[in-house]
Amino acid sequence: MLLTVFCNYKKYTKKLNLLYAKVVQVQDVKWQHNRCSFELMEKPPSSGKSQLDEENGLVQAAEDVDPHTSRKSSSRKSFRLDYRLEEDVTKSCQDKHGRWINPWSTWRFPSYFTLLRFLLLDKDNSKVPSSREALDVELPVMEPYFVRNPDLSESGPGLRPKSITCSVYGPKEVQRAPCTVEQLPRIDAVVISHSHYDHLDAGSVASLNARFGGELRWFVPLGLLDWFVKMGCENVMELDWWEENCVPVHDDVTFVCTPSQHWSKRTALDDNKSLWGSWTVLGPEHRFFFAGDTGYCPTFKEIGQRFGPFDLAAIPIGAYLPRDVMVGQHVDPAEAVQIHEDLQAKQSVAIHWGTFALAHEYYLDPPERLREALEQKGLKPESFFVLNHGESRLISSPHGDIFD
Ligand SMILES: [Zn+2]
């Protein structure tokens, strides 16, 4: 599988998402989801449990048909909820108002006093250069391999786990995207981590939908289906933590919505109305993990135990200062290295720094702190590497070169 990993960098803006007031109309449309199955489950169900699942409606019929598109999914039997029946998996949960909550004691959200201090008083040390020329020296934007050599881009599905541009409502973008939607190779699937503007950009979704239409499957956490329907997307798979599905024409690759510690907000009143998550991508020979946006929490050990070792994990390293504001929602580089170990990742790539103005650390500090954290743990720099915007890297494994 050819996998394209883009560095999703971000930093904090002074205009927090809290202040967004654009209300998205929610359409009263529900879709029947196409489901397909996965054969690499570690603990296949006993026949008794299979029967129980079927009685509870947890196992899909042989073939689902979307009432809006008449699109059919592949037909293997689904074991998608098996994990949720096991005690050692942390399930998603909501409060009595239907808002999703983080189930770990590691979750913190800053008080209004702390937020006001952050917005009005704290010193911003990010020092992002104001000129494009100066920025390009430190954060060069490179041509992705598929722009340099389009012939290489058709050898498999590409993944683009993040937005290409950010809407006017989102945080300020520091560095430009390395390519346009038109330059991307064929895309079969996109995974969405949560609703924040720097991770879910309406313009990017519209452009991808205009180019690929129903051939592109959107994997989204619970609560985001209606937003995608409103955007005109036809092929949306909304999943809870530990649920899995696949792209019908590539049903040997399974996408699992896995937990992360974060929050969601897009409008004035929709705090935590949609779920957030990480994504585990399981192929017949290789495994990839996308952490999304997250603070440190015990779930990464669970994910590592269940799905590890991963061949490659994309883990955030930026937007971590001031710590008392960010600790619950954004890992620092030392915690990112801990996640790399928890996941049993053979290699990790740093994401979530250098693109959006989000936090107060010096804008070039995250990779520096990452190097220090790796050194402290006796890990090689290549085990958790940093890419420039648009940079491509071929990653070798005992099975041969697998990622570009
Ligand atoms: Zn976020």
Side-chain angles (χ1 to χ4, degrees):
M1 180 172 68
L2 196 65
L3 178 68
T4 304
V5 176
F6 287 76
C7 297
N8 182 22
Y9 306 107
K10 45 185 259 183
K11 292 180 162 196
Y12 238 64
T13 182
K14 301 253 170 172
K15 301 171 202 156
L16 270 190
N17 290 331
L18 290 169
L19 304 177
Y20 300 148
K22 179 170 176 269
V23 177
V24 174
Q25 299 290 322
V26 177
Q27 286 194 351
D28 188 22
V29 179
K30 288 285 177 193
W31 286 17
Q32 177 185 353
H33 296 174
N34 297 332
R35 300 283 184 191
C36 54
S37 67
F38 172 45
E39 290 179 333
L40 299 177
M41 299 294 104
E42 291 170 70
K43 295 174 183 173
S46 66
S47 57
K49 198 173 82 51
S50 294
Q51 193 181 346
L52 181 67
D53 284 353
E54 284 180 358
E55 283 168 10
N56 290 331
L58 301 184
V59 176
Q60 298 296 304
E63 187 171 79
D64 287 346
V65 181
D66 188 302
H68 294 258
T69 64
S70 300
R71 187 177 306 286
K72 294 179 181 179
S73 69
S74 60
S75 59
R76 284 183 295 156
K77 193 175 178 184
S78 174
F79 304 135
R80 66 192 169 86
L81 291 182
D82 289 349
Y83 312 123
R84 298 170 55 78
L85 300 176
E86 298 184 21
E87 281 180 18
D88 58 342
V89 171
T90 304
K91 299 171 188 173
S92 60
C93 45
Q94 291 168 287
D95 67 14
K96 60 183 180 195
H97 306 293
R99 297 182 193 274
W100 298 99
I101 57 177
N102 287 291
W104 306 279
S105 61
T106 45
W107 171 240
R108 303 270 185 286
F109 196 74
S111 65
Y112 283 114
F113 174 80
T114 308
L115 274 177
L116 277 176
R117 191 211 69 209
F118 170 65
L119 293 170
L120 303 174
L121 299 174
D122 284 356
K123 186 169 181 335
D124 181 356
N125 292 312
S126 57
K127 298 188 174 69
V128 180
S130 51
S131 84
R132 168 61 51 86
E133 292 72 25
L135 192 60
D136 279 352
V137 170
E138 297 294 349
L139 293 177
V141 179
M142 303 172 73
E143 240 180 12
Y145 76 93
F146 52 80
V147 175
R148 285 197 314 273
N149 193 347
D151 292 343
L152 289 177
S153 63
E154 289 301 322
S155 50
L159 296 182
R160 173 83 170 166
K162 53 197 228 62
S163 71
I164 294 166
T165 58
C166 198
S167 79
V168 293
Y169 299 98
K172 182 166 166 274
E173 207 163 32
V174 169
Q175 190 51 291
R176 64 192 179 279
C179 67
T180 64
V181 165
E182 289 67 37
Q183 290 174 312
L184 290 171
R186 193 191 76 235
I187 302 286
D188 297 293
V190 172
V191 293
I192 298 294
S193 59
H194 65 301
S195 70
H196 284 159
Y197 279 76
D198 51 335
H199 288 256
L200 179 57
D201 173 50
S204 299
V205 172
S207 300
L208 287 165
N209 191 43
R211 178 170 166 199
F212 297 106
E215 298 301 311
L216 173 62
R217 175 159 282 191
W218 300 88
F219 290 97
V220 307
L222 287 184
L224 280 175
L225 175 67
D226 289 335
W227 186 90
F228 277 86
V229 169
K230 184 175 182 292
M231 290 294 295
C233 299
E234 298 174 1
N235 188 0
V236 187
M237 188 59 58
E238 187 186 63
L239 299 177
D240 195 359
W241 289 352
W242 308 105
E243 285 185 337
E244 52 86 7
N245 215 286
C246 64
V247 178
V249 289
H250 294 287
D251 63 3
D252 58 342
V253 178
T254 295
F255 295 77
V256 190
C257 181
T258 35
S260 65
Q261 180 176 281
H262 204 63
W263 56 296
S264 70
K265 183 176 180 66
R266 205 166 171 86
T267 70
L269 302 173
D270 75 343
D271 302 56
N272 297 339
K273 283 287 191 179
S274 62
L275 187 59
W276 46 91
S278 57
W279 289 93
T280 293
V281 184
L282 306 163
E285 292 182 18
H286 302 110
R287 299 180 168 216
F288 171 70
F289 180 76
F290 169 57
D293 210 358
T294 188
Y296 184 76
C297 69
T299 199
F300 300 105
K301 283 200 176 77
E302 284 181 358
I303 296 168
Q305 281 164 9
R306 198 153 298 278
F307 297 122
F310 288 91
D311 297 280
L312 184 67
I315 302 174
I317 63 165
Y320 54 84
L321 289 183
R323 212 66 201 110
D324 62 346
V325 175
M326 301 299 176
V327 67
Q329 53 191 307
H330 292 154
V331 291
D332 64 18
E335 291 167 329
V337 172
Q338 186 60 53
I339 291 176
H340 165 82
E341 292 189 317
D342 292 350
L343 293 169
Q344 304 166 41
K346 295 173 190 167
Q347 278 192 296
S348 292
V349 57
I351 58 171
H352 202 268
W353 76 281
T355 294
F356 291 107
L358 291 170
H360 285 177
E361 75 268 10
Y362 178 52
Y363 81 111
L364 295 175
D365 265 357
E368 198 53 44
R369 299 285 91 78
L370 175 63
R371 262 188 292 278
E372 291 170 6
L374 290 169
E375 202 175 300
Q376 273 179 9
K377 293 233 178 188
L379 296 171
K380 294 178 181 164
E382 312 89 78
S383 63
F384 198 147
F385 58 88
V386 178
L387 296 178
N388 292 311
H389 292 76
E391 186 177 354
S392 312
R393 179 170 300 191
L394 200 60
I395 297 173
S396 61
S397 81
H399 307 288
D401 293 335
I402 52 170
F403 296 122
D404 192 7

